[in-house]
Amino acid sequence: MNEAAITLDGWYCLHDFRAIDWTSWKLVSQEERTNAVDEFVQYLEKINESHVAKTGSHAFYSIIGQKADFMLMILRETPEELQELEAEFNKLAIADFTVPTYSYVSVVELSNYLAKGSDEDPYQNPHIRARLYPELPRTKYVCFYPMDKRREGNDNWYMLDMEERRKLMHSHGLIGRSYAGKIKQIITGSVGLDDHEWGVTLFSEDMLQFKKIVYEMRFDEVSARYGEFGEFLVGNLLDNDKLANFLTV
Ligand code: 76R
């Protein structure tokens, strides 16, 4: 059998995409809408307590295009917490005016392709901990897509030996690093958890950087030959003011 990469696994992750049912939202009274927005803001403030306490994190963005209207990405220590927060959202008044359009369950993942051998426990290393339990940035833009590594004929990632994969991932990492300071990426693993193998979440202050990095990586062998992609979703940061504005009809 071929050697599997060893992964380090951090916080569990739920990407929850919702569309707004504008027609029914417009039908309710102004008072009901205000109450629903206030309650939604309270929920967001509650989940922000974990972000502040560094026991979790979340990102909240409006989504452009018809695939969804907003995305709530939540990171927590346990799958139970994700489920509770999802159920709690569903019980809010605002949820009656949303339609689930997509969700993704995964766990923050680092692989050992480029790791230098060491005897220390990686889970105690502060640099690694900062990546496994990340404070999600509040950049202006987000991009999310799920992806797989191809398993077809001669292009089967899982049949390549470790050395070959390491070499390819090195090249991938070099491109990635050239975007340092422009893009922050969170790779979440979802083999056995959801329909694709990884979720890719990119954060940037400049939406064009998403196009640039994804395009550049398409020419790199890991993506060119072995990358298969699900749907792409992009959006703009939402804060409480923007949310109130967004929901004003
Ligand atoms: O963890 C590390 O920083 C080491 C290098 C590294 C690994 C192991 C790395 C660096 N990535 C790794 C793993 Mn990545 N990454 C993607 C995408 O659209 C596409 O073509 C691919 C989507 C982007 C944009 C991206 C960005 N990476 C992975 C894996 C798991 C592979 C496996 O285990 O088989 C996937 C699916 C994946 C996909 N990568 C980087 C980046 C960036 C910006 C970096 C540099 C990070 C840094 O140095 O801070």
Side-chain angles (χ1 to χ4, degrees):
M1 197 185 87
N2 214 346
E3 184 185 343
I6 295 168
T7 60
L8 298 175
D9 303 284
W11 278 336
Y12 288 90
C13 181
L14 172 66
H15 289 79
D16 192 333
F17 294 90
R18 308 270 170 153
I20 294 165
D21 178 356
W22 293 106
T23 311
S24 48
W25 181 241
K26 283 179 204 159
L27 288 176
V28 296
S29 70
Q30 177 67 47
E31 190 191 355
E32 210 176 315
R33 282 197 300 263
T34 307
N35 291 342
V37 172
D38 289 350
E39 188 196 36
F40 190 11
V41 168
Q42 270 172 35
Y43 170 82
L44 293 166
E45 281 170 359
K46 190 197 134 183
I47 64 174
N48 196 48
E49 287 168 14
S50 290
H51 178 83
V52 173
K54 301 189 192 302
T55 54
S57 193
H58 69 281
F60 184 47
Y61 284 82
S62 57
I63 297 296
I64 311 173
Q66 296 177 355
K67 290 172 188 156
D69 284 311
F70 65 85
M71 172 197 84
L72 189 55
M73 171 187 184
I74 307 181
L75 298 176
R76 285 295 181 275
E77 284 163 6
T78 64
E80 286 81 0
E81 287 166 279
L82 290 182
Q83 205 273 321
E84 279 161 24
L85 290 172
E86 182 186 1
E88 206 175 315
F89 175 85
N90 284 329
K91 291 174 198 168
L92 299 177
I94 190 74
D96 295 350
F97 305 97
T98 70
V99 184
T101 55
Y102 191 57
S103 70
Y104 208 76
V105 178
S106 54
V107 57
V108 178
E109 177 185 297
L110 295 177
S111 62
N112 66 337
Y113 285 122
L114 306 182
K116 296 173 200 81
S118 149
D119 290 338
E120 67 155 21
D121 174 3
Y123 286 100
Q124 300 307 324
N125 177 318
H127 299 289
I128 291 177
R129 291 187 68 83
R131 299 188 57 188
L132 290 175
Y133 313 108
E135 195 175 319
L136 295 180
R138 305 274 156 96
T139 55
K140 282 162 83 175
Y141 308 109
V142 76
C143 171
F144 169 79
Y145 52 100
M147 68 172 293
D148 300 294
K149 290 279 170 72
R150 187 165 294 140
R151 283 180 286 144
E152 261 172 37
N154 288 330
D155 294 339
N156 187 333
W157 174 257
Y158 296 90
M159 296 294 281
L160 299 178
D161 64 34
M162 186 59 172
E163 263 327 292
E164 180 67 15
R165 280 177 286 137
R166 214 188 279 281
K167 207 175 79 200
L168 292 168
M169 286 313 291
H170 178 71
S171 165
H172 167 83
L174 286 182
I175 298 180
R177 260 165 232 166
S178 73
Y179 285 82
K182 292 186 212 148
I183 285 193
K184 165 132 180 102
Q185 106 280 21
I186 308 277
I187 302 297
T188 53
S190 43
V191 174
L193 303 182
D194 214 322
D195 299 342
H196 294 272
E197 296 174 345
W198 291 276
V200 179
T201 313
L202 308 175
F203 294 90
S204 183
E205 293 295 343
D206 173 8
M207 188 163 298
L208 260 189
Q209 297 302 322
F210 300 144
K211 180 169 176 288
K212 288 182 192 295
I213 193 172
V214 174
Y215 184 64
E216 193 176 344
M217 283 187 173
R218 289 288 157 97
F219 291 94
D220 185 58
E221 201 169 343
V222 180
S223 299
R225 198 150 171 209
Y226 300 105
E228 287 188 351
F229 300 87
E231 290 200 326
F232 284 67
L233 296 114
V234 290
N236 302 313
L237 185 68
L238 276 176
D239 55 25
N240 293 350
D241 289 345
K242 283 191 186 145
L243 175 66
N245 207 17
F246 182 54
L247 290 172
T248 298
V249 291

Coordinates of all heavy atoms in Angstrom, one line a residue, residues 3-9 109-118 122 128 162-163 165-167 169-170:
E3 N 2.0 5.1 0.9 CA 2.0 5.8 2.2 C 1.1 7.0 2.2 O 1.2 7.9 1.4 CB 3.5 6.3 2.4 CG 3.7 7.0 3.8 CD 5.1 7.5 3.9 OE1 6.0 7.2 3.1 OE2 5.3 8.4 4.8
A4 N 0.1 7.0 3.1 CA -0.8 8.1 3.3 C -0.1 9.3 3.9 O 0.8 9.1 4.8 CB -2.0 7.7 4.1
A5 N -0.4 10.5 3.5 CA 0.1 11.7 4.2 C -0.5 11.6 5.7 O -1.6 11.2 5.9 CB -0.3 13.0 3.5
I6 N 0.3 12.1 6.6 CA -0.2 12.2 8.0 C -0.7 13.6 8.2 O -0.1 14.6 7.8 CB 0.9 11.9 9.0 CG1 1.4 10.5 8.8 CG2 0.5 12.2 10.4 CD1 2.7 10.1 9.6
T7 N -1.9 13.7 8.7 CA -2.5 15.0 8.8 C -2.6 15.4 10.3 O -2.6 14.6 11.2 CB -4.0 15.0 8.3 OG1 -4.8 14.1 9.0 CG2 -4.1 14.7 6.8
L8 N -2.5 16.7 10.5 CA -2.7 17.3 11.8 C -4.1 17.9 11.6 O -4.4 18.6 10.6 CB -1.7 18.4 12.1 CG -0.3 17.9 12.2 CD1 0.6 19.1 12.4 CD2 -0.1 16.9 13.3
D9 N -5.0 17.7 12.6 CA -6.3 18.1 12.5 C -6.7 19.1 13.6 O -6.4 18.8 14.8 CB -7.3 16.9 12.5 CG -6.9 15.9 11.4 OD1 -7.2 16.3 10.2 OD2 -6.2 14.9 11.6
E109 N -7.0 21.3 8.4 CA -6.0 20.3 8.2 C -4.7 20.8 7.8 O -4.6 21.7 6.9 CB -6.6 19.3 7.1 CG -5.6 18.2 6.7 CD -6.2 17.4 5.6 OE1 -7.2 16.7 5.7 OE2 -5.5 17.3 4.5
L110 N -3.7 20.2 8.3 CA -2.3 20.5 7.8 C -1.7 19.1 7.5 O -2.0 18.1 8.2 CB -1.4 21.1 8.9 CG -1.8 22.5 9.3 CD1 -0.8 23.0 10.4 CD2 -1.7 23.5 8.2
S111 N -1.0 19.0 6.4 CA -0.4 17.7 6.1 C 1.1 17.7 6.3 O 1.7 18.8 6.5 CB -0.7 17.3 4.6 OG -0.2 18.2 3.8
N112 N 1.7 16.6 6.2 CA 3.1 16.5 6.6 C 4.0 16.5 5.3 O 5.2 16.2 5.4 CB 3.4 15.2 7.4 CG 3.2 14.0 6.6 OD1 2.5 14.0 5.6 ND2 3.8 12.9 7.0
Y113 N 3.5 16.9 4.2 CA 4.3 16.8 3.0 C 5.6 17.7 3.1 O 6.6 17.3 2.6 CB 3.5 17.3 1.7 CG 2.5 16.3 1.3 CD1 1.1 16.6 1.2 CD2 2.9 15.0 0.9 CE1 0.2 15.6 0.8 CE2 2.0 14.1 0.5 CZ 0.6 14.4 0.4 OH -0.3 13.4 0.0
L114 N 5.4 18.8 3.7 CA 6.6 19.7 3.7 C 7.2 19.8 5.1 O 8.1 20.6 5.4 CB 6.2 21.1 3.2 CG 5.6 21.1 1.8 CD1 5.3 22.5 1.3 CD2 6.5 20.4 0.8
A115 N 6.6 19.0 6.1 CA 7.1 19.2 7.5 C 8.5 18.6 7.6 O 8.8 17.6 7.0 CB 6.1 18.4 8.4
K116 N 9.3 19.3 8.4 CA 10.6 18.8 8.7 C 10.5 17.8 9.8 O 9.7 18.1 10.8 CB 11.6 19.9 9.1 CG 11.8 20.9 8.0 CD 12.6 22.1 8.5 CE 12.4 23.3 7.6 NZ 11.2 24.1 7.8
G117 N 11.2 16.7 9.7 CA 11.1 15.7 10.8 C 11.6 16.3 12.1 O 12.5 17.0 12.2
S118 N 10.9 16.0 13.2 CA 11.2 16.5 14.5 C 10.6 15.6 15.5 O 9.5 15.0 15.3 CB 10.7 17.9 14.6 OG 10.4 18.2 15.9
P122 N 3.8 18.1 17.5 CA 3.4 19.3 16.7 C 2.2 20.0 17.3 O 2.1 21.3 17.1 CB 3.0 18.7 15.3 CG 2.9 17.2 15.5 CD 3.7 16.9 16.7
I128 N 2.2 25.9 14.6 CA 1.2 25.0 14.1 C -0.2 25.2 14.8 O -1.2 25.1 14.1 CB 1.8 23.5 14.3 CG1 3.0 23.3 13.4 CG2 0.7 22.5 14.1 CD1 3.7 22.0 13.5
M162 N 5.0 8.7 -2.0 CA 5.2 9.9 -1.1 C 6.2 10.9 -1.6 O 5.9 12.1 -1.6 CB 5.6 9.4 0.3 CG 5.6 10.4 1.3 SD 4.0 11.2 1.5 CE 4.2 12.2 2.9
E163 N 7.3 10.4 -2.1 CA 8.3 11.3 -2.6 C 7.8 12.2 -3.8 O 8.1 13.4 -3.8 CB 9.6 10.6 -3.1 CG 10.7 10.5 -2.1 CD 10.8 11.7 -1.2 OE1 11.1 12.8 -1.7 OE2 10.4 11.7 0.0
R165 N 4.7 13.0 -4.4 CA 3.7 13.9 -3.9 C 4.3 15.0 -3.2 O 3.9 16.2 -3.3 CB 2.7 13.2 -3.0 CG 1.6 12.4 -3.8 CD 0.6 11.6 -3.0 NE 1.3 10.4 -2.4 CZ 1.2 10.0 -1.2 NH1 0.5 10.6 -0.3 NH2 1.8 8.9 -0.8
R166 N 5.4 14.7 -2.4 CA 6.1 15.7 -1.7 C 6.7 16.8 -2.6 O 6.6 18.0 -2.4 CB 7.2 15.0 -0.9 CG 7.5 15.7 0.4 CD 8.8 15.0 1.0 NE 8.6 13.8 1.7 CZ 8.1 13.6 2.9 NH1 7.7 14.7 3.6 NH2 7.9 12.4 3.4
K167 N 7.3 16.3 -3.7 CA 7.9 17.2 -4.7 C 6.8 18.1 -5.3 O 7.0 19.3 -5.4 CB 8.5 16.3 -5.8 CG 9.6 16.9 -6.5 CD 10.3 16.0 -7.5 CE 9.4 15.9 -8.8 NZ 9.6 14.8 -9.6
M169 N 3.9 18.9 -4.0 CA 3.3 19.8 -3.0 C 4.3 20.9 -2.7 O 3.9 22.0 -2.3 CB 3.0 19.0 -1.7 CG 1.7 18.2 -1.8 SD 0.3 19.0 -2.5 CE 0.0 20.2 -1.2
H170 N 5.6 20.6 -2.8 CA 6.6 21.7 -2.6 C 6.4 22.8 -3.6 O 6.4 24.0 -3.3 CB 8.0 21.1 -2.8 CG 9.1 22.1 -2.6 ND1 9.4 22.7 -1.4 CD2 9.9 22.7 -3.5 CE1 10.4 23.5 -1.6 NE2 10.7 23.6 -2.8

